[in-house]
C-alpha cells in the first residue's frame, strides 16, 4: 500500500460526543475533574519521561526470529542492492540532510559514539557523501530557528488571576447571547494548567460547573474545541483511545497517532487513567478490537517500555539495518516480528541512526521498504514510528495537511493536533507546514474553517 505523496513531494496523512445524559458525572476529587461527555481530542503538554530502566539500546539480541546480521547470503553488500523495477524511484540513500523528501528534524544532541565510528561493511558513522547515487539533489533543509529545540504557541500567562478569568467567562455567558470573543481571549492565552485553575475558581465563586455552562452556550466545532482546551492532557488521550475503540468500527489512525508518538511516562499514565476513568483495561480493549501484526504493534506500544536513552549506538544501528533488510527486502516474504521488535524497543535517536545505516547499505530508504513489505494499519503504525524518529513536527504537519485536504475538513483531527501540540512544538509544526506545502498553517485553517471556531484556532496557532 502506497503512502500518500511519498517520497519526494513533501510530507504527506491521517469525533464525536458520547451518549447524552453523562454530562454531569464527575470522577471523585483528586482524579480527572471532567464529565465523561467530552469529545475525543487526545494529548497535551507532556513532561519528559524518566528512564524506565528498560535495557539500553545496545542490550537487545536479535530476538523474535530476527536474523543475525549477515546471516543470509541474499543480504547485499554495501551499496550493492539488486536492481528493482523503477530504478531510483525506490529511493536513494540520503545525505545527512533528509530522507526521500521528508524534512529533517531539529539538530539534537543524541550523544553516543564519535562522528566517525567504523561500522560493519566499512560505513562511517559520520557525514555521508554529498552526492547521491543516481544524482539525486539534496533534501529540504529546516529553518535555522528549528535547531533550538521545540516550542509551543501557548505559554502560561503572566500575572495570571484565575478568579478574574472566571468572572470574565461568566459575564461572557450571562444574559442574552454569548460574547465568544471574550471566551477566545481567555482560553487561547492560558496554559492547560491555568485553565484547570479557572475551572476550579468558577465553581468556587458561582457554585456552577464551567464546562456545563460552556456546553449550554456553544455548539458544533466551537464547543468541541473549547472543551478540548479545558480537558487535562492525560484524560484527553485516554478518552480519545476509548472513543476510538468503542462502538461499531475502530478508528485506527487515532490509536496510531497517540500510542506511536507518546513517551513511556505518558503511555503509562494513559493506561492508568483509562482503567480508573472507564473501568477498562486498555490492552484488553486493543486485543478485542484489532488483530494480527497491528494488534501486536499496539500491544507493544501500550507497555511504555521503549528505550529512552538518547545516546546512539552506531554499531547496533548497522546491525539492526542488516536485520531489517534480511527480514524484508532480502528474503521471500516478511519477518514481521523482527520489524516489531526493533521499531517498538529502540529509542527514536537510535531508529534515526538505523534508518541512515539502512539507506547506505540497501541503497533505498527504510520508509519505502516498509511500504513494500506491509500494508494497512500496521504499515501506517510502523511508518508513524519512523517518521517521528526523523522529524516529529513534520509528521504532525502532514496530519494537519491531510485533515484539511480535499472536500470537507476532518475537524476532530484538526482540533486534536492543534490543541495537544499547542504547548509542545506547534511553532515547529507551523514552520514545517510552510516548508512542506508552501502555505502557512494559519492560511490553510482560515480557508477551511469559519466564525468563532476559526478565530479561536487562529489564536491558538498564533496567526
Amino acid at each position: 500500500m502506497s503512502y500518500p505523496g511519498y517520497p519526494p513531494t513533501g510530507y504527506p496523512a491521517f469525533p464525536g460526543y458520547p451518549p447524552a445524559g453523562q454530562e454531569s458525572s464527575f470522577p471523585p476529587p483528586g482524579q480527572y475533574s471532567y464529565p465523561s461527555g467530552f469529545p475525543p481530542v487526545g494529548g497535551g503538554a507532556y513532561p519528559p519521561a524518566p528512564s524506565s530502566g528498560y535495557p539500553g539500546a545496545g542490550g537487545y539480541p536479535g530476538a523474535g526470529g530476527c536474523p543475525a546480521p549477515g546471516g543470509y547470503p541474499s543480504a547485499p553488500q554495501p551499496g550493492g542492492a539488486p536492481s528493482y523495477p523503477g530504478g531510483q524511484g525506490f529511493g536513494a540513500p540520503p545525505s545527512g540532510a533528509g530522507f526521500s523528501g521528508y524534512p529533517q528534524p531539529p539538530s539534537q544532541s543524541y550523544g553516543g559514539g564519535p562522528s566517525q565510528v567504523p561500522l560493519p561493511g566499512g560505513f562511517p558513522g559520520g557525514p555521508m557523501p554529498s552526492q547521491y547515487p543516481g544524482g539525486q539533489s539534496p533534501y529540504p533543509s529546516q529553518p535555522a530557528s528549528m535547531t533550538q529545540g521545540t516550542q509551543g504557541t501557548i505559554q502560561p500567562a503572566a500575572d495570571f488571576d484565575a478568579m478574574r478569568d472566571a468572572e470574565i467567562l461568566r459575564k461572557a455567558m450571562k444574559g442574552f447571547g454569548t460574547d465568544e470573543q471574550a471566551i477566545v481571549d481567555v482560553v487561547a492565552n492560558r496554559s492547560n494548567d491555568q485553565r484547570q485553575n479557572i475551572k476550579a475558581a468558577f465553581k468556587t465563586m458561582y457554585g456552577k460547573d464551567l464546562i456545563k455552562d460552556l456546553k449550554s452556550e456553544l455548539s458544533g466545532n466551537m464547543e468541541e474545541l473549547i472543551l478540548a482546551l479545558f480537558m487535562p492532557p492525560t484524560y484527553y488521550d485516554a478518552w480519545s483511545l476509548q472513543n476510538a475503540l468503542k462502538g461499531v468500527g475502530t478508528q485506527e489512525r487515532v490509536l496510531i497517532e497517540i500510542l506511536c508518538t507518546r513517551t513511556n511516562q505518558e503511555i503509562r499514565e494513559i493506561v492508568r487513567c483509562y482503567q480508573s476513568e472507564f473501568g477498562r483495561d486498555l490492552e484488553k480493549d486493543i486485543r478485542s478490537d484489532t488483530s494480527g501484526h497491528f494488534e501486536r504493534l499496539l500491544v507493544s506500544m501500550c507497555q511504555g517500555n521503549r528505550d529512552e536513552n538518547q545516546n546512539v549506538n552506531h554499531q547496533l544501528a548497522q546491525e539492526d539495518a542488516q536485520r531489517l533488510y534480511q527480514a524484508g527486502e532480502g528474503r521471500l516474504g516478511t519477518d514481521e516480528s523482527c520489524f516489531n521488535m526493533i521499531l517498538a524497543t529502540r529509542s527514536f535517536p537510535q531508529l534515526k541512526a538505523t534508518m541512515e545505516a539502512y539507506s547506505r547499505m540497501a541503497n533505498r530508504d527504510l520508509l519505502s521498504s516498509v511500504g513494500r513489505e506491509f500494508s494497512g494499519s500496521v504499515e501506517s503504525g510502523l511508518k508513524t514510528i519512523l517518521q517521528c524518529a526523523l522529524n516529529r513536527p513534520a509528521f504532525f504537519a502532514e496530519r494537519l495537511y491531510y485533515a484539511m485536504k480535499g472536500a470537507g475538513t476532518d475537524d476532530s483531527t484538526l482540533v486534536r493536533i492543534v490543541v495537544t501540540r499547542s504547548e509542545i512544538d506547534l511553532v515547529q509544526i507551523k514552520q514545517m507546514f510552510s516548508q512542506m506545502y508552501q502555505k502557512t498553517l494559519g492560511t490553510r485553517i482560515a480557508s477551511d474553517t469559519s466564525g468563532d471556531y476559526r478565530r479561536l484556532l487562529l489564536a491558538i496557532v498564533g496567526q
Side-chain angles (χ1 to χ4, degrees), residues 145-146 149-151 393 424-432:
S145 60
M146 293 191 66
T150 58
Q151 179 185 355
I424 303 174
D425 55 2
L426 191 51
V427 168
Q428 284 68 42
I429 291 171
K430 288 168 56 181
Q431 292 172 338
M432 293 314 309

Side-chain angles (χ1 to χ4, degrees), residues 193-227:
D193 284 344
Q194 290 175 335
R195 293 185 209 114
Q196 307 313 311
N197 291 331
I198 294 170
K199 187 167 65 70
F202 191 93
K203 182 171 282 190
T204 299
M205 294 167 67
Y206 306 114
K208 300 174 68 178
D209 181 71
L210 174 60
I211 303 305
K212 291 179 67 176
D213 278 11
L214 287 168
K215 285 173 67 70
S216 69
E217 296 289 333
L218 304 169
S219 62
N221 293 326
M222 180 64 169
E223 176 187 357
E224 179 172 347
L225 178 55
I226 288 285
L227 298 182

Side-chain angles (χ1 to χ4, degrees), residues 31-359:
Q31 295 192 37
Y32 300 91
S33 51
Y34 279 86
S36 58
F38 286 93
V41 200
Y46 300 96
S51 174
S52 63
Y54 206 67
Y60 291 107
C66 209
Y72 289 101
S74 57
Q77 293 304 310
S83 175
Y84 284 83
Q88 305 169 32
F90 282 93
S95 73
F99 287 82
S100 295
Y102 208 72
Q104 284 301 285
S107 296
Q108 301 178 52
S109 177
Y110 291 138
S115 61
Q116 290 289 335
V117 177
L119 297 177
F123 294 113
M128 282 174 265
S130 59
Q131 183 62 40
Y132 306 95
Q136 260 183 288
S137 60
Y139 299 102
S141 59
Q142 290 192 98
S145 60
M146 293 191 66
T147 64
Q148 305 303 317
T150 58
Q151 179 185 355
T153 55
I154 294 181
Q155 306 293 330
D159 302 320
F160 171 65
D161 186 333
M163 296 181 71
R164 180 183 61 205
D165 285 348
E167 185 176 3
I168 292 172
L169 292 178
R170 184 171 185 271
K171 287 180 179 178
M173 295 183 286
K174 189 178 179 181
F176 182 76
T178 303
D179 184 356
E180 284 88 354
Q181 184 60 52
I183 298 174
V184 168
D185 290 341
V186 170
V187 299
N189 294 288
R190 305 293 184 270
S191 68
N192 190 279
D193 284 344
Q194 290 175 335
R195 293 185 209 114
Q196 307 313 311
N197 291 331
I198 294 170
K199 187 167 65 70
F202 191 93
K203 182 171 282 190
T204 299
M205 294 167 67
Y206 306 114
K208 300 174 68 178
D209 181 71
L210 174 60
I211 303 305
K212 291 179 67 176
D213 278 11
L214 287 168
K215 285 173 67 70
S216 69
E217 296 289 333
L218 304 169
S219 62
N221 293 326
M222 180 64 169
E223 176 187 357
E224 179 172 347
L225 178 55
I226 288 285
L227 298 182
L229 288 163
F230 274 99
M231 196 176 295
T234 301
Y235 180 89
Y236 208 2
D237 273 351
W239 170 248
S240 297
L241 292 171
Q242 200 254 0
N243 189 79
L245 288 163
K246 73 178 183 180
V248 179
T250 301
Q251 299 171 41
E252 289 85 356
R253 287 201 175 275
V254 176
L255 304 181
I256 291 168
E257 180 190 310
I258 295 173
L259 292 174
C260 293
T261 66
R262 306 305 195 233
T263 67
N264 290 343
Q265 179 177 322
E266 291 159 13
I267 290 174
R268 291 168 186 167
E269 290 175 352
I270 290 166
V271 170
R272 285 194 294 268
C273 178
Y274 193 93
Q275 178 68 56
S276 65
E277 297 302 311
F278 310 117
R280 303 182 65 87
D281 182 272
L282 178 57
E283 183 178 325
K284 287 182 180 178
D285 281 359
I286 286 174
R287 289 186 183 278
S288 67
D289 272 52
T290 60
S291 61
H293 299 296
F294 182 54
E295 172 196 336
R296 295 178 195 126
L297 178 64
L298 293 184
V299 169
S300 293
M301 296 297 99
C302 276
Q303 307 314 302
N305 275 333
R306 179 182 298 282
D307 174 33
E308 292 188 331
N309 182 353
Q310 297 300 291
N311 293 330
V312 172
N313 182 330
H314 295 278
Q315 177 79 23
L316 178 66
Q318 180 68 21
E319 293 171 358
D320 280 349
Q322 292 176 339
R323 289 188 181 105
L324 290 171
Y325 184 88
Q326 293 160 5
E329 299 275 15
R331 60 177 286 170
L332 184 63
T334 305
D335 180 359
E336 294 86 353
S337 65
C338 183
F339 280 84
N340 193 98
M341 187 278 287
I342 292 174
L343 270 64
T345 61
R346 305 298 194 242
S347 70
F348 286 117
Q350 185 67 35
L351 286 175
K352 183 174 184 292
T354 299
M355 296 176 77
E356 293 168 351
Y358 187 94
S359 292

Side-chain angles (χ1 to χ4, degrees), residues 292-460:
H293 299 296
F294 182 54
E295 172 196 336
R296 295 178 195 126
L297 178 64
L298 293 184
V299 169
S300 293
M301 296 297 99
C302 276
Q303 307 314 302
N305 275 333
R306 179 182 298 282
D307 174 33
E308 292 188 331
N309 182 353
Q310 297 300 291
N311 293 330
V312 172
N313 182 330
H314 295 278
Q315 177 79 23
L316 178 66
Q318 180 68 21
E319 293 171 358
D320 280 349
Q322 292 176 339
R323 289 188 181 105
L324 290 171
Y325 184 88
Q326 293 160 5
E329 299 275 15
R331 60 177 286 170
L332 184 63
T334 305
D335 180 359
E336 294 86 353
S337 65
C338 183
F339 280 84
N340 193 98
M341 187 278 287
I342 292 174
L343 270 64
T345 61
R346 305 298 194 242
S347 70
F348 286 117
Q350 185 67 35
L351 286 175
K352 183 174 184 292
T354 299
M355 296 176 77
E356 293 168 351
Y358 187 94
S359 292
R360 295 193 300 266
M361 178 197 73
N363 202 34
R364 65 194 66 241
D365 65 79
L366 185 53
L367 276 167
S368 296
S369 291
V370 167
R372 285 192 292 278
E373 297 294 324
F374 296 88
S375 63
S377 295
V378 67
E379 176 194 358
S380 297
L382 293 172
K383 283 185 171 180
T384 294
I385 294 169
L386 295 175
Q387 289 162 352
C388 285
L390 281 176
N391 190 336
R392 194 181 304 263
F395 166 75
F396 285 109
E398 173 190 77
R399 293 292 306 276
L400 287 170
Y401 175 78
Y402 279 92
M404 295 181 282
K405 186 177 185 292
T409 301
D410 181 354
D411 290 291
S412 289
T413 294
L414 175 59
V415 166
R416 185 174 58 251
I417 294 177
V418 166
V419 171
T420 60
R421 311 312 294 185
S422 63
E423 295 181 48
I424 303 174
D425 55 2
L426 191 51
V427 168
Q428 284 68 42
I429 291 171
K430 288 168 56 181
Q431 292 172 338
M432 293 314 309
F433 193 97
S434 296
Q435 180 179 330
M436 292 157 64
Y437 304 112
Q438 292 75 53
K439 182 178 289 189
T440 68
L441 177 58
T443 299
R444 192 58 188 260
I445 288 174
S447 67
D448 271 57
T449 59
S450 62
D452 296 311
Y453 174 54
R454 172 171 60 190
R455 191 182 310 158
L456 180 52
L457 280 172
L458 293 177
I460 297 169

